[in-house]
Amino acid sequence: MAKASTENYSFDQKHLLGLADYSREDILYVLDQAKSFREILDRPVPKIPTLRDKTIVNLFYENSTRTRLSFELAQKRMGADVVNFSASTSSTKKGESLKDTIQNISSMKIDMVVCRHESPGVPHFLTQCVDAAILNAGDGAHEHPTQALLDMFTMQQIHPSLDGKKVAIIGDISHSRVVRSNIIGLTKVGAKVVICGPKTFMPKFVEDMGAEISYNLEETLSWCDVAMALRIQLERQGKSTELFPSLREYHDLFGIKMKHLEKYPDFKIMHPGPINRGVELQSEVADSERAVILDQVTNGVAVRMAVLYLLSGGIRI
Ligand code: NCD
């Protein structure tokens, strides 16, 4: 595999808890490595033996479709032994603590743990309980680093250098771990980030993190190179009516519609999924040529392969 770094750079991270812990060089290095893995996915037999001596547990305490399948596929494409833990069918239901669960799993000689949990900080806590490399697959509203990496990788396919590129993130900001990881990652690589949504969804941290705020969708879409819509997370905010009057009104004010694609012909559309069709995006927009949403999903496997490879000790392939 080609060395993607500068002369004096070496990747020496042990975990991926969040992009806050990764430098600009680390992020660009992961994205560069992911290119080689993306090529492997296009081969007739998209398999390599890089992780054949590794055992990985996927520890999911929260629902997931894309992230979980994507991690599992990445692990299997690289020949790892994979075990899956789902909180809903485990001894967690019998009252076992997270620490006991992870120490028991770890006694089975696990090399890496991929963890999704509803509480922020759980991946960090796991680093104190076991020796394995820990990969955060989403912790509450804190970080979702592999999602932001795959988003950046997809943006790079459109704009190879993200320096100065204009990224709009639109939607349910206050509940989103995706937005936090994206602001951190994108600003580190020099992109400009505007966050757009209703005032009730706009947390204070946005400006402190180096992004700008807009409450005007038209203005935002006329400015951006990429528009990333985020799901309205009804399950995290209780009754939707507490934060905005109705889904229909949200769609009227902040939903991306075909008329916007016609008016502003350049920006691409992204969404981490799952999409509420007719809310964040008009259904035709999600299916249009301008959307790169399924590319994000394919790229997610490559990016996760790159992260697994680097955190496994980076045996050359
Ligand atoms: C996101 C998540 O779970 O944080 N989805 C994902 O990982 N693809 C966003 C969401 O749930 O809306």
Side-chain angles (χ1 to χ4, degrees):
M1 174 169 288
K3 192 115 170 75
S5 58
T6 53
E7 293 271 293
N8 299 323
Y9 171 77
S10 76
F11 180 90
D12 55 9
Q13 297 282 350
K14 178 157 191 248
H15 309 286
L16 176 57
L17 307 181
L19 292 191
D21 308 319
Y22 275 44
S23 66
R24 170 191 160 84
E25 287 70 30
D26 290 334
I27 292 170
L28 291 174
Y29 188 62
V30 173
L31 295 176
D32 222 66
Q33 296 286 303
K35 282 188 205 151
S36 314
F37 291 100
R38 183 67 188 77
E39 282 163 23
I40 291 168
L41 291 179
D42 286 334
R43 288 182 191 164
V45 181
K47 282 203 127 200
I48 46 170
T50 314
L51 298 183
R52 77 185 149 205
D53 60 340
K54 302 289 176 198
T55 306
I56 307 177
V57 60
N58 295 313
L59 197 66
F60 277 69
Y61 281 84
E62 220 188 43
N63 294 344
S64 173
T65 305
R66 270 154 296 271
T67 305
R68 183 175 177 148
L69 290 179
S70 176
F71 264 114
E72 195 174 335
L73 208 54
Q75 293 152 1
K76 289 185 168 162
R77 294 270 186 257
M78 299 171 88
D81 288 325
V82 181
V83 277
N84 289 307
F85 166 97
S86 163
S88 56
T89 55
S90 69
S91 287
T92 307
K93 286 273 172 216
K94 300 180 189 168
E96 186 169 60
S97 74
L98 173 65
K99 186 170 179 183
D100 280 338
T101 302
I102 188 70
Q103 283 181 336
N104 276 276
I105 293 174
S106 180
S107 308
M108 300 177 205
K109 308 279 178 237
I110 296 291
D111 299 294
M112 305 176 101
V113 180
V114 176
C115 174
R116 169 170 286 199
H117 201 282
E118 61 274 15
S119 300
V122 163
H124 182 263
F125 172 70
L126 295 183
T127 63
Q128 295 165 7
C129 305
V130 290
D131 272 342
I134 309 291
L135 285 78
N136 182 2
D139 60 333
H142 176 223
E143 278 227 42
H144 191 351
T146 56
Q147 179 67 45
L149 288 166
L150 76 88
D151 292 336
M152 285 189 267
F153 184 89
T154 307
M155 289 176 208
Q156 277 187 334
Q157 287 182 322
I158 308 160
H159 304 289
S161 167
L162 296 180
D163 200 11
K165 285 291 159 294
K166 296 179 268 184
V167 180
I169 307 181
I170 301 151
D172 187 346
I173 308 304
S174 50
H175 298 94
S176 178
R177 49 196 174 211
V178 176
V179 82
R180 291 178 66 96
S181 291
N182 262 296
I183 298 176
I184 294 169
L186 284 165
T187 52
K188 280 187 180 171
V189 302
K192 297 188 179 121
V193 185
V194 164
I195 304 297
C196 178
K199 270 200 174 131
T200 44
F201 279 170
M202 204 60 78
K204 279 206 166 309
F205 68 74
V206 165
E207 282 176 320
D208 299 340
M209 291 176 81
E212 282 178 37
I213 292 177
S214 167
Y215 299 112
N216 186 318
L217 181 66
E218 287 278 337
E219 243 173 55
T220 304
L221 294 180
S222 70
W223 166 84
C224 67
D225 298 309
V226 175
M228 183 192 301
L230 297 180
R231 186 173 67 89
I232 303 302
Q233 303 198 15
L234 295 171
E235 80 281 13
R236 289 195 209 274
Q237 64 194 37
K239 283 193 230 118
S240 62
T241 46
E242 284 166 12
L243 292 178
F244 56 93
S246 70
L247 290 176
R248 180 190 292 229
E249 181 172 318
Y250 178 83
H251 183 66
D252 282 350
L253 290 173
F254 293 101
I256 304 177
K257 302 177 244 332
M258 287 307 281
K259 67 173 187 189
H260 297 125
L261 304 198
E262 283 148 26
K263 197 161 166 196
Y264 309 113
D266 295 326
F267 73 88
K268 298 279 187 199
I269 295 145
M270 297 176 59
H271 194 303
I275 304 170
N276 292 308
R277 283 178 182 258
V279 182
E280 301 96 51
L281 302 176
Q282 200 177 16
S283 198
E284 295 87 328
V285 168
D287 298 329
S288 75
E289 292 284 311
R290 299 271 291 279
V292 292
I293 297 168
L294 294 176
D295 296 334
Q296 288 174 263
V297 178
T298 312
N299 294 336
V301 179
V303 163
R304 290 180 174 114
M305 287 170 84
V307 171
L308 288 162
Y309 156 71
L310 289 169
L311 296 180
S312 72
I315 315 118
R316 295 273 151 223
I317 56 170

